[in-house]
Amino acid sequence: ALMFLESNRAHPTLIKCMSILRQYQLPAADAVYHIANLHGDYSYRLTGHRGSARCFQLTTWKGSCANHEGYAMVAEHDNLTNPEMLGDNQEIDIVLSATPHEGHWIALPEGDCEIWVRQYYCDWETEEPATQMKIERIGGSYPPPPLTRAELEANLQLTQDWLHFQSDYFLAKVREHLQTDPGTLAIVSHPTAWQSNQYLSGHYRCQQDEAVIIEFDAPQAYYWGMQLANLQWEAMEYYMRHSSLNNKQAHIDDDGKVRIVISHTDPGVVNWFDTSGRTLGLISARYFKCPEAAPPVLRNVLLKDLRQHLPDNTPVVTLQQRQGLIQSRLASVFRRLAADQ
């Protein structure tokens, strides 16, 4: 409803389309997502304060994510390829239009289109979210006229299309996870996702007396993140459970490898993924701006023998320390996802 039912392309609203409890398409635990529905007949201005998220990215898309008919990316900009436009802690002032514009400009296609804004955080304690972001039609007057019956019917159809399409898409993606080799994570394609990201998918099976160890060379990426998901293709409760890690949070062993333990109970190691009571779950990873990397390897071990399969100097985390880590996660996620909308 937020994305389509009340959509007005002549007077768009930049919507934070996911929150702590509202998500779809397996969002990254490190990310915040905004969307606005636009039209190529209009010109718009996007403004706000950039903040300091590790990765900040804008893309424009032809068509609508409601049904993906003719859906294709038109333009992609991120803070590495366009630092003068999207550098840390600067003011955003970008024109979006079908024809070129002086200054910072992003192309729009003809007809219905969208803009997506993604922010990926590495340091959950210090990186600041973008604030006061808004999009306005250049030359538009306010207040906008009430939606006509025809406009409302069109928005209702978009909402219906979105529900139908997403249901089928979710099912296909969950099956994709479950069909991977259980001993590794597979590199997969998401044509409508962030094109500079490399996506990896897999799944785990873990009994109460077991632990699953994910082992991989630390990616030489500007950003990487890994997390667990449920069978509804939703991120686990990363805001109050230890179910995700990124390149700032994860401990790297002396041999350059990252070893993450999946288990039902806290094993007392830094790199732990809480199963949230699920014997079967999904694993997702994102590598941004990463050269070739070997896929992670998974193996099941008995929980009582876990320490025999980890380096001797693996850092220990006490229950009290874990509580502090989870409380910090909760505060950070609320600041990013609940502070402005």
Side-chain angles (χ1 to χ4, degrees):
L2 286 173
M3 295 166 61
F4 301 111
L5 191 57
E6 300 178 31
S7 175
N8 186 333
R9 298 177 190 275
H11 296 83
T13 301
L14 192 65
I15 295 169
K16 184 179 286 183
C17 54
M18 295 178 226
S19 68
I20 292 172
L21 297 177
R22 183 183 68 243
Q23 57 173 296
Y24 80 102
Q25 287 198 5
L26 183 47
D30 300 304
V32 176
Y33 305 82
H34 289 76
I35 185 177
N37 294 313
L38 310 177
H39 196 283
D41 285 350
Y42 303 124
S43 297
Y44 307 90
R45 174 167 271 112
L46 175 69
T47 57
H49 184 69
R50 153 74 169 86
S52 57
R54 177 71 167 173
C55 304
F56 192 94
Q57 181 246 14
L58 303 174
T59 50
T60 51
W61 296 82
K62 176 183 178 182
S64 172
C65 67
N67 51 34
H68 283 200
E69 291 182 3
Y71 201 55
M73 191 177 70
V74 176
E76 178 182 60
H77 297 261
D78 61 62
N79 57 299
L80 295 185
T81 55
N82 295 90
E84 74 287 351
M85 180 190 296
L86 300 169
D88 285 2
N89 291 312
Q90 68 181 39
E91 297 305 310
I92 299 170
D93 189 353
I94 302 169
V95 171
L96 300 98
S97 61
T99 56
H101 192 278
E102 291 185 1
H104 298 318
W105 169 74
I106 294 178
L108 293 181
E110 295 181 354
D112 291 346
C113 52
E114 298 170 349
I115 181 174
W116 281 84
V117 182
R118 291 176 173 88
Q119 303 169 70
Y120 277 70
Y121 298 82
C122 277
D123 189 334
W124 286 22
E125 304 300 319
T126 64
E127 291 175 14
E128 293 294 331
T131 57
Q132 300 178 351
M133 283 200 302
K134 68 178 186 300
I135 190 166
E136 296 178 296
R137 178 167 63 91
I138 297 174
S141 59
Y142 291 84
L147 285 175
T148 65
R149 182 184 182 90
E151 290 170 335
L152 184 55
E153 287 178 347
N155 288 352
L156 282 168
Q157 184 61 56
L158 276 176
T159 305
Q160 179 176 301
D161 290 345
W162 181 83
L163 289 169
H164 280 290
F165 176 82
Q166 294 299 329
S167 296
D168 293 339
Y169 190 68
F170 283 21
L171 179 59
K173 287 301 177 181
V174 170
R175 285 175 173 168
E176 183 179 84
H177 278 266
L178 296 177
Q179 290 168 356
T180 59
D181 180 341
T184 189
L185 298 186
I187 297 174
V188 296
S189 174
H190 291 300
T192 58
W194 189 353
Q195 299 301 290
S196 296
N197 257 344
Q198 184 181 71
Y199 293 85
L200 296 91
S201 295
H203 65 279
Y204 71 86
R205 293 182 184 273
C206 183
Q207 301 301 321
Q208 292 292 332
D209 63 345
E210 289 184 318
V212 178
I213 300 175
I214 310 173
E215 184 175 309
F216 55 100
D217 294 324
Q220 300 303 304
Y222 185 74
Y223 156 85
W224 68 260
M226 187 175 291
Q227 65 192 84
L228 297 187
N230 61 30
L231 296 183
Q232 287 70 49
W233 214 43
E234 298 172 327
M236 294 287 201
E237 299 164 327
Y238 57 84
Y239 57 94
M240 61 179 179
R241 292 185 183 275
H242 215 273
S243 59
S244 73
L245 287 167
N246 63 37
N247 51 309
K248 173 67 176 178
Q249 300 165 334
H251 169 75
I252 301 174
D253 291 321
D254 292 342
D255 58 2
K257 292 185 180 295
V258 178
R259 294 173 175 89
I260 300 174
V261 177
I262 303 174
S263 61
H264 296 279
T265 57
D266 190 341
V269 298
V270 175
N271 297 342
W272 174 48
F273 280 174
D274 185 345
T275 66
S276 303
R278 293 171 170 83
T279 302
L280 171 63
L282 311 180
I283 308 171
S284 175
R286 295 164 169 88
Y287 297 172
F288 174 62
K289 301 289 187 184
C290 182
E292 290 296 322
V297 175
L298 281 68
R299 55 195 170 101
N300 287 54
V301 301
L302 289 175
L303 186 60
K304 65 181 180 65
D305 298 332
L306 174 63
R307 289 288 176 171
Q308 301 175 23
H309 299 276
L310 300 176
D312 293 338
N313 60 351
T314 299
V316 174
V317 174
T318 66
L319 290 177
Q320 184 178 6
Q321 290 171 327
R322 185 75 72 194
Q323 285 298 303
L325 289 170
I326 292 175
Q327 289 170 357
S328 294
R329 291 172 75 85
L330 184 62
S332 176
V333 175
F334 263 87
R335 183 165 55 89
R336 287 183 277 126
L337 287 178
D340 63 340
Q341 290 184 26

